[in-house]
Amino acid sequence: MNLALFALSFFVLPVIFAYGDSGTEIDKLLEQGKDYFGQAEYDKAISQFDQILIIDPNNVNALYYKGNTLSKIGKFDEAIPYYEKVLTLDPHKFIAQLKLQEALLKVTSYRFDSLDGMLEVTVHDSHGGLVAFLRTAEIKALKHKIVEDLVDSWPTTKLINQNGKSFAVHQKEFVKVADYDTIFGFHEIPFSEKVDLPLATTWHYQIPVERGDVVSYVYSILRPIS
C-alpha cells in the first residue's frame, strides 16, 4: 500500500465506523424505547426517543413513537408537532395521520351546536344555464378549535350589524361536478384537511340534477366582532 492510499484510509475508515456505530446505536435506542413503552414506563421511553433525536432530529420512527408516548400520557398538545413533522418527512405514513387526527380532537372540548350563517347552492348545466338555486340557514357544526381556526382563515367579505351586534361575514365557495342524479339534502362541509371527520353539516331540500352539472356551494359564516 503506497503512502497516499494509507493516509486516505486513515481518515476515511473512522468516518465509516462512526456512521455504522450511529445507526446501530439508533436501532438499539429505538428497541429499548419501544420496550419501555410496552411496559408502561413512559418517561424512560421518551428518554430513549430523545436520545435518538439528538443524533438524528429527522428520525421518523423516533418522532412517531415519541408522539405516541406523549399521547398515551395525555399530552396531546405536545404530541401534535411530532406527528406533523413525521408527515412532513413521510406524507404516506397514514398511521401518523390517524394519530394526528386523534390528538387534534383531544386538545379542545367540543360539542354539537349551530353556526350563524347560511349555505347557498347554485346548479348550472354544462352550457352554463341556471338549473337551480336555493338558500338555507342554520349550519350544524361540531364546535371545535379546528372549526374556529378554519372559519377565521376564510376571507371576510363584509361587516354587518345584526340585533345590535357587529359581525364579520366569512365566506368560502366549494365547486364540484355532479356525478349522480340527485343532490341529497344532507351535506358535509369540508372544514379541515387535517381531520377526516364531518366537522360540520347542513340540510337542504333534494335537488334533481344531471351528471355533469356544476354545483356551487357558498358558505357564509357570521363571526362576532368583539
Side-chain angles (χ1 to χ4, degrees):
M1 179 183 293
N2 62 43
L3 184 60
L5 183 58
F6 175 78
L8 180 63
S9 65
F10 179 79
F11 288 106
V12 172
L13 287 176
V15 175
I16 295 173
F17 292 152
Y19 274 100
D21 289 344
S22 175
T24 302
E25 181 65 15
I26 285 175
D27 291 341
K28 181 179 178 181
L29 289 168
L30 183 64
E31 290 306 311
Q32 288 176 340
K34 290 162 67 175
D35 286 344
Y36 283 135
F37 181 89
Q39 297 163 14
E41 296 188 65
Y42 301 121
D43 288 342
K44 291 182 179 179
I46 288 174
S47 176
Q48 300 301 304
F49 303 137
D50 281 342
Q51 290 182 61
I52 295 173
L53 295 173
I54 290 171
I55 301 169
D56 178 9
N58 292 325
N59 188 283
V60 170
N61 287 325
L63 291 165
Y64 173 74
Y65 283 111
K66 182 170 181 181
N68 279 358
T69 309
L70 290 167
S71 293
K72 192 70 175 180
I73 58 179
K75 296 184 177 181
F76 297 101
D77 55 336
E78 296 182 29
I80 288 170
Y82 290 95
Y83 292 135
E84 289 179 333
K85 189 168 183 179
V86 167
L87 292 168
T88 298
L89 297 167
D90 183 3
H92 300 295
K93 195 171 181 66
F94 298 115
I95 186 64
Q97 180 68 55
L98 293 174
K99 294 291 186 179
L100 173 61
Q101 292 177 13
E102 292 175 4
L104 285 167
L105 288 174
K106 292 288 187 179
V107 294
T108 58
S109 60
Y110 52 91
R111 60 187 175 83
F112 278 103
D113 205 341
S114 61
L115 289 172
D116 291 326
M118 64 183 176
L119 165 67
E120 294 178 338
V121 183
T122 307
V123 183
H124 290 89
D125 62 25
S126 57
H127 302 291
L130 181 64
V131 175
F133 172 81
L134 64 86
R135 180 182 291 124
T136 182
E138 189 174 281
I139 299 172
K140 291 292 184 182
L142 188 63
K143 301 291 282 188
H144 189 279
K145 186 176 184 297
I146 297 169
V147 175
E148 305 295 330
D149 289 348
L150 194 102
V151 173
D152 282 340
S153 74
W154 289 3
T156 300
T157 58
K158 59 183 176 180
L159 303 176
I160 64 171
N161 290 311
Q162 185 171 293
N163 299 324
K165 296 181 180 179
S166 298
F167 295 89
V169 180
H170 296 262
Q171 199 168 67
K172 186 75 171 180
E173 179 182 26
F174 299 90
V175 178
K176 68 177 181 179
V177 177
D179 58 357
Y180 35 72
D181 297 322
T182 302
I183 297 176
F184 292 97
F186 186 77
H187 183 70
E188 297 179 357
I189 301 175
F191 258 95
S192 174
E193 295 179 355
K194 288 186 176 180
V195 178
D196 188 22
L197 293 172
L199 291 182
T201 59
T202 189
W203 172 264
H204 58 71
Y205 296 106
Q206 294 185 9
I207 307 173
V209 296
E210 294 183 358
R211 296 173 188 268
D213 286 352
V214 178
V215 186
S216 168
Y217 299 90
V218 177
Y219 298 97
S220 300
I221 307 297
L222 277 62
R223 303 281 289 148
I225 301 174
S226 55

